[in-house]
Amino acid sequence: MVLGLSSTHQRTQLLITQLLKETTCTGYPRVYHLHLFLPKSFLPEVVNTWSSIYKEDTVLQLCLREIQQQRAAQKLLFAFNQMKPKSIPYSPRFLEVFLMYCHSAGQWFTVEECMTGRFRKYNNNTGNENVPTNKLEKTMLAFSHWTYEYTRGEFLVLDLQGVGENLTDPSVIKAWGRRSQDMIFGPANLGEDAIKNFCSKHQCNTCCRNLKLTELKRTDYTPDEALILNSSLQRISPTCSEEESPQQPIRVML
């Protein structure tokens, strides 16, 4: 089993199992599905650093911002998959992430399904990226580029990592985000520095060209700062039915 965690998280010793029973149309036999979930907690040094901003319930606030970050990335990826051409065969997805409170530990965690297989990191939250060697990797890097162009420079999804088409722990970079005391996306948002670094180092590939994306080094998006600081995440939400929407309610597991 391969587990991928960002630099702000640590692995806990607890695995949560969910056993689902299904019945065939004839009433038998029963089919059992076992799901393993991984609780994640923030490193102590991360909690200490952000306790000056989130003075009460620091860990809970960080967990909520992590969930909000992954949900925002899900919305953008949903739109990407709806709009991409057929020449891009992959349809990546972000895992669902949930909120859990452990009474015995007296601590909040985020929880998501475990992934098995070869774990791959495509880029990081500073804007640096690995050289792609196949179309799946090119698709992931093109998605980061697409998020920047689709939101007119307001958001950039980085830190893409996971197993195959299943992704986890993204960083949604928000322009001027580091200046706000109410950090929308938490400690992984490196703001303008990450955006500038990505724009200067990203190498457009065939998927970028299939998406008709503008060469970033020739792109100068200068969104209005006041608009960005007061914008709503609804702006990046694609139009879809309730059944199609990737956003699910936060679940508290006791």
Side-chain angles (χ1 to χ4, degrees):
M1 180 178 297
V2 179
L3 304 175
L5 297 177
S6 71
S7 59
T8 60
H9 294 88
Q10 63 183 349
R11 186 182 309 171
T12 69
Q13 298 300 313
L14 173 67
L15 282 179
I16 300 170
T17 62
Q18 181 185 39
L19 188 63
L20 301 178
K21 297 181 181 179
E22 292 184 359
T23 308
T24 64
C25 59
T26 59
Y28 62 88
R30 291 186 181 276
V31 179
Y32 294 88
H33 299 282
L34 181 66
H35 293 270
L36 297 178
F37 290 85
L38 172 72
K40 298 180 297 180
S41 62
F42 287 89
L43 294 168
E45 54 266 32
V46 174
V47 177
N48 290 336
T49 298
W50 290 91
S51 61
S52 61
I53 294 180
Y54 307 133
K55 299 184 185 301
E56 296 183 4
D57 298 319
T58 304
V59 174
L60 173 60
Q61 293 300 322
L62 289 172
C63 287
L64 290 173
R65 278 153 181 77
E66 179 188 344
I67 292 171
Q68 183 165 323
Q69 179 167 235
Q70 194 138 325
R71 297 284 166 81
Q74 281 180 324
K75 290 182 177 183
L76 282 167
L77 190 52
F78 181 86
F80 173 82
N81 287 333
Q82 295 293 105
M83 298 168 63
K84 66 181 176 63
K86 293 182 179 180
S87 58
I88 299 178
Y90 296 103
S91 297
R93 74 177 187 98
F94 284 105
L95 297 181
E96 289 291 345
V97 59
F98 308 108
L99 185 66
M100 181 191 79
Y101 183 76
C102 180
H103 285 283
S104 60
Q107 187 174 344
W108 290 98
F109 300 91
T110 56
V111 184
E112 66 183 16
E113 190 170 351
C114 291
M115 293 186 290
T116 60
R118 183 186 174 214
F119 193 87
R120 177 78 172 158
K121 195 172 182 76
Y122 305 100
N123 55 26
N124 61 25
N125 67 329
T126 67
N128 294 322
E129 60 185 36
N130 291 324
V131 178
T133 59
N134 55 53
K135 194 155 192 175
L136 174 61
E137 295 170 3
K138 291 178 181 178
T139 299
M140 300 301 187
L141 298 178
F143 168 65
S144 286
H145 183 173
W146 177 89
T147 61
Y148 185 69
E149 185 160 316
Y150 180 70
T151 64
R152 299 295 299 173
E154 183 174 346
F155 296 101
L156 172 64
V157 179
L158 292 176
D159 223 4
L160 299 180
Q161 55 198 310
V163 177
E165 296 178 75
N166 296 317
L167 299 173
T168 183
D169 285 333
S171 295
V172 179
I173 309 299
K174 180 178 169 64
W176 292 294
R178 301 284 297 185
R179 300 182 191 179
S180 173
Q181 290 301 303
D182 184 20
M183 294 288 291
I184 292 178
F185 297 128
N189 178 15
L190 301 183
E192 295 164 272
D193 291 339
I195 291 175
K196 290 177 181 178
N197 189 53
F198 176 80
C199 290
S200 66
K201 294 184 177 179
H202 173 69
Q203 298 294 321
C204 283
N205 58 56
T206 53
C207 291
C208 295
R209 290 186 280 275
N210 289 340
L211 289 162
K212 304 185 185 307
L213 299 177
T214 307
E215 186 75 30
L216 279 171
K217 294 179 179 60
R218 299 199 305 268
T219 301
D220 183 23
Y221 293 129
T222 54
D224 181 77
E225 181 172 0
L227 175 63
I228 286 179
L229 292 177
N230 293 288
S231 67
S232 167
L233 286 179
Q234 289 300 113
R235 183 175 176 273
I236 64 173
S237 176
T239 301
C240 58
S241 67
E242 186 177 7
E243 291 78 11
E244 295 173 318
S245 173
Q247 185 161 353
Q248 300 293 330
I250 295 173
R251 303 177 187 176
V252 179
M253 304 174 65
L254 301 176

Short mmCIF file of all heavy atoms in Angstrom, two decimals, residues 127 129 138 141-142 144-145 197-205 208 213-217:
data_model
loop_
_atom_site.label_atom_id
_atom_site.label_comp_id
_atom_site.label_asym_id
_atom_site.label_seq_id
_atom_site.Cartn_x
_atom_site.Cartn_y
_atom_site.Cartn_z
N GLY A 127 5.34 25.44 -7.23
CA GLY A 127 5.25 25.67 -8.66
C GLY A 127 6.24 24.87 -9.48
O GLY A 127 6.22 24.93 -10.72
N GLU A 129 7.74 21.49 -11.19
CA GLU A 129 7.08 20.30 -11.72
C GLU A 129 8.10 19.28 -12.20
O GLU A 129 9.22 19.63 -12.59
CB GLU A 129 6.13 20.67 -12.87
CG GLU A 129 6.79 21.35 -14.05
CD GLU A 129 5.80 21.80 -15.10
OE1 GLU A 129 4.69 22.24 -14.74
OE2 GLU A 129 6.14 21.71 -16.31
N LYS A 138 1.39 14.36 -18.51
CA LYS A 138 1.19 15.61 -19.26
C LYS A 138 -0.20 16.19 -18.98
O LYS A 138 -0.36 17.41 -18.87
CB LYS A 138 1.36 15.36 -20.76
CG LYS A 138 2.79 15.05 -21.17
CD LYS A 138 2.87 14.75 -22.66
CE LYS A 138 4.30 14.41 -23.08
NZ LYS A 138 4.39 14.09 -24.53
N LEU A 141 -0.17 18.03 -15.53
CA LEU A 141 0.50 19.33 -15.58
C LEU A 141 -0.30 20.33 -16.41
O LEU A 141 -0.34 21.53 -16.08
CB LEU A 141 1.91 19.17 -16.16
CG LEU A 141 2.84 18.26 -15.34
CD1 LEU A 141 4.19 18.13 -16.02
CD2 LEU A 141 3.01 18.79 -13.92
N ALA A 142 -0.95 19.84 -17.45
CA ALA A 142 -1.81 20.73 -18.24
C ALA A 142 -3.01 21.20 -17.43
O ALA A 142 -3.49 22.32 -17.60
CB ALA A 142 -2.27 20.01 -19.51
N SER A 144 -3.02 21.90 -14.21
CA SER A 144 -2.57 23.05 -13.41
C SER A 144 -2.57 24.32 -14.26
O SER A 144 -3.07 25.37 -13.84
CB SER A 144 -1.16 22.79 -12.87
OG SER A 144 -1.17 21.86 -11.81
N HIS A 145 -2.02 24.23 -15.46
CA HIS A 145 -2.00 25.38 -16.38
C HIS A 145 -3.42 25.84 -16.68
O HIS A 145 -3.73 27.03 -16.64
CB HIS A 145 -1.27 24.96 -17.65
CG HIS A 145 -1.11 26.06 -18.66
ND1 HIS A 145 -0.36 25.93 -19.81
CD2 HIS A 145 -1.63 27.32 -18.71
CE1 HIS A 145 -0.42 27.05 -20.51
NE2 HIS A 145 -1.20 27.90 -19.87
N ASN A 197 6.45 31.50 -9.81
CA ASN A 197 7.40 30.42 -10.07
C ASN A 197 6.84 29.44 -11.09
O ASN A 197 7.55 28.99 -12.00
CB ASN A 197 7.74 29.70 -8.77
CG ASN A 197 8.88 28.71 -8.93
OD1 ASN A 197 9.95 29.06 -9.41
ND2 ASN A 197 8.65 27.48 -8.51
N PHE A 198 5.55 29.10 -10.94
CA PHE A 198 4.93 28.18 -11.89
C PHE A 198 4.91 28.77 -13.29
O PHE A 198 5.25 28.10 -14.27
CB PHE A 198 3.50 27.85 -11.45
CG PHE A 198 2.76 26.97 -12.42
CD1 PHE A 198 2.97 25.60 -12.45
CD2 PHE A 198 1.84 27.52 -13.31
CE1 PHE A 198 2.30 24.79 -13.35
CE2 PHE A 198 1.16 26.72 -14.22
CZ PHE A 198 1.40 25.34 -14.23
N CYS A 199 4.54 30.02 -13.39
CA CYS A 199 4.46 30.66 -14.71
C CYS A 199 5.82 30.73 -15.39
O CYS A 199 5.91 30.64 -16.62
CB CYS A 199 3.88 32.07 -14.57
SG CYS A 199 2.12 32.10 -14.15
N SER A 200 6.87 30.88 -14.62
CA SER A 200 8.21 31.00 -15.21
C SER A 200 8.81 29.64 -15.58
O SER A 200 9.65 29.55 -16.48
CB SER A 200 9.14 31.73 -14.25
OG SER A 200 9.37 30.96 -13.08
N LYS A 201 8.36 28.57 -14.89
CA LYS A 201 9.01 27.27 -15.10
C LYS A 201 8.16 26.25 -15.85
O LYS A 201 8.69 25.26 -16.35
CB LYS A 201 9.42 26.68 -13.75
CG LYS A 201 10.51 27.48 -13.05
CD LYS A 201 10.95 26.80 -11.76
CE LYS A 201 12.09 27.57 -11.10
NZ LYS A 201 12.52 26.93 -9.83
N HIS A 202 6.85 26.46 -15.93
CA HIS A 202 6.01 25.46 -16.60
C HIS A 202 6.36 25.34 -18.08
O HIS A 202 6.48 26.34 -18.78
CB HIS A 202 4.54 25.86 -16.46
CG HIS A 202 3.61 25.00 -17.25
ND1 HIS A 202 3.37 23.67 -16.95
CD2 HIS A 202 2.87 25.27 -18.37
CE1 HIS A 202 2.51 23.16 -17.82
NE2 HIS A 202 2.19 24.11 -18.69
N GLN A 203 6.51 24.10 -18.53
CA GLN A 203 6.77 23.82 -19.94
C GLN A 203 5.50 23.25 -20.56
O GLN A 203 5.06 22.16 -20.21
CB GLN A 203 7.92 22.81 -20.07
CG GLN A 203 9.25 23.29 -19.51
CD GLN A 203 9.82 24.46 -20.31
OE1 GLN A 203 9.71 24.50 -21.54
NE2 GLN A 203 10.40 25.42 -19.61
N CYS A 204 4.90 24.01 -21.46
CA CYS A 204 3.68 23.53 -22.10
C CYS A 204 3.96 22.24 -22.87
O CYS A 204 5.00 22.09 -23.51
CB CYS A 204 3.12 24.59 -23.05
SG CYS A 204 2.26 25.93 -22.19
N ASN A 205 3.00 21.31 -22.80
CA ASN A 205 3.14 20.04 -23.49
C ASN A 205 2.00 19.87 -24.50
O ASN A 205 1.22 20.79 -24.72
CB ASN A 205 3.17 18.89 -22.48
CG ASN A 205 1.94 18.85 -21.59
OD1 ASN A 205 0.80 18.78 -22.07
ND2 ASN A 205 2.13 18.90 -20.28
N CYS A 208 -1.47 20.73 -23.18
CA CYS A 208 -1.70 22.18 -23.10
C CYS A 208 -2.12 22.71 -24.47
O CYS A 208 -3.05 23.52 -24.58
CB CYS A 208 -0.44 22.91 -22.64
SG CYS A 208 0.10 22.52 -20.96
N LEU A 213 -4.29 26.29 -24.65
CA LEU A 213 -3.89 27.18 -23.58
C LEU A 213 -2.80 28.14 -24.07
O LEU A 213 -1.99 27.80 -24.93
CB LEU A 213 -3.35 26.37 -22.38
CG LEU A 213 -4.36 25.40 -21.74
CD1 LEU A 213 -3.69 24.62 -20.62
CD2 LEU A 213 -5.58 26.15 -21.22
N THR A 214 -2.80 29.32 -23.49
CA THR A 214 -1.81 30.34 -23.84
C THR A 214 -0.48 30.03 -23.18
O THR A 214 -0.43 29.60 -22.03
CB THR A 214 -2.30 31.73 -23.38
OG1 THR A 214 -3.61 31.97 -23.89
CG2 THR A 214 -1.36 32.82 -23.84
N GLU A 215 0.60 30.25 -23.91
CA GLU A 215 1.93 30.08 -23.32
C GLU A 215 2.05 30.99 -22.10
O GLU A 215 1.86 32.20 -22.19
CB GLU A 215 3.00 30.43 -24.35
CG GLU A 215 4.42 30.17 -23.90
CD GLU A 215 4.76 28.69 -23.93
OE1 GLU A 215 4.19 27.94 -24.75
OE2 GLU A 215 5.59 28.28 -23.10
N LEU A 216 2.34 30.41 -20.94
CA LEU A 216 2.31 31.18 -19.69
C LEU A 216 3.32 32.31 -19.67
O LEU A 216 3.07 33.36 -19.09
CB LEU A 216 2.55 30.26 -18.50
CG LEU A 216 1.33 29.47 -18.04
CD1 LEU A 216 1.72 28.44 -17.00
CD2 LEU A 216 0.27 30.40 -17.47
N LYS A 217 4.45 32.11 -20.27
CA LYS A 217 5.48 33.17 -20.25
C LYS A 217 5.03 34.39 -21.03
O LYS A 217 5.58 35.47 -20.87
CB LYS A 217 6.80 32.63 -20.79
CG LYS A 217 7.42 31.54 -19.92
CD LYS A 217 8.71 31.02 -20.51
CE LYS A 217 9.33 29.96 -19.62
NZ LYS A 217 8.47 28.79 -19.42
#
